[in-house]
Amino acid sequence: QVQLVESGGGLVQPGGSLRLSCAASGRTFSRGSMGWFRQAPGKEREFVSAISWSGGSTYYAYYADSVKGRFTISRDNVKNTVYLQMNSLKPEDTAVYYCSARGSGAGYNYASLNAYEYWGQGTQVTVSS
């Protein structure tokens, strides 16, 4: 049984930082994509970032425009874990953050909800003074 378990959410002041972690178990995703989406109250779930295998030992990172330059995604394939370092947080970053994962493949849109096979339960991030 595949499980994705997020951690690291919490309450932070504007301008602060948080680091989210997502540990996968049940299978590895070293040749697939792992990503983060978020959902604010009353809004649809939206893409935040993804890190995808592109062959050999190369991975590409992708970001939504709203977080580019502030968030950094990384992965540790030994630990089967993906991380999201979030800096310069803004109140509009407040949301439940969900980890996602999929196996290898081609022709999918890494920013699409439908591209991912597995999802975590989410972790709340609140940015407020």
Side-chain angles (χ1 to χ4, degrees):
Q1 181 180 0
V2 176
Q3 283 191 314
L4 303 179
V5 179
E6 301 102 333
S7 61
L11 173 65
V12 64
Q13 292 186 342
S17 298
L18 282 175
R19 187 193 194 206
L20 304 183
S21 300
C22 172
S25 61
R27 66 169 286 182
T28 64
F29 298 98
S30 59
R31 294 191 174 188
S33 289
M34 299 187 77
W36 292 93
F37 288 73
R38 66 188 181 186
Q39 188 166 16
K43 295 188 176 182
E44 294 185 350
R45 193 172 298 190
E46 64 176 6
F47 170 74
V48 175
S49 181
I51 184 163
S52 301
W53 183 68
S54 62
S57 59
T58 301
Y59 292 84
Y60 285 125
Y62 304 94
Y63 300 94
D65 287 343
S66 59
V67 307
K68 204 171 292 183
R70 300 187 297 122
F71 291 10
T72 303
I73 192 170
S74 61
R75 63 192 292 168
D76 184 332
N77 289 332
V78 173
K79 295 182 179 179
N80 213 18
T81 298
V82 64
Y83 305 95
L84 186 67
Q85 177 66 42
M86 305 186 295
N87 298 329
S88 302
L89 282 161
K90 305 175 181 180
E92 51 264 43
D93 294 318
T94 295
V96 177
Y97 283 70
Y98 295 92
C99 175
S100 59
R102 62 160 290 138
S104 61
Y108 63 88
N109 178 1
Y110 58 83
S112 171
L113 293 170
N114 296 330
Y116 295 89
E117 302 168 85
Y118 305 101
W119 292 87
Q121 292 300 306
T123 185
Q124 176 70 47
V125 171
T126 302
V127 185
S128 175
S129 55

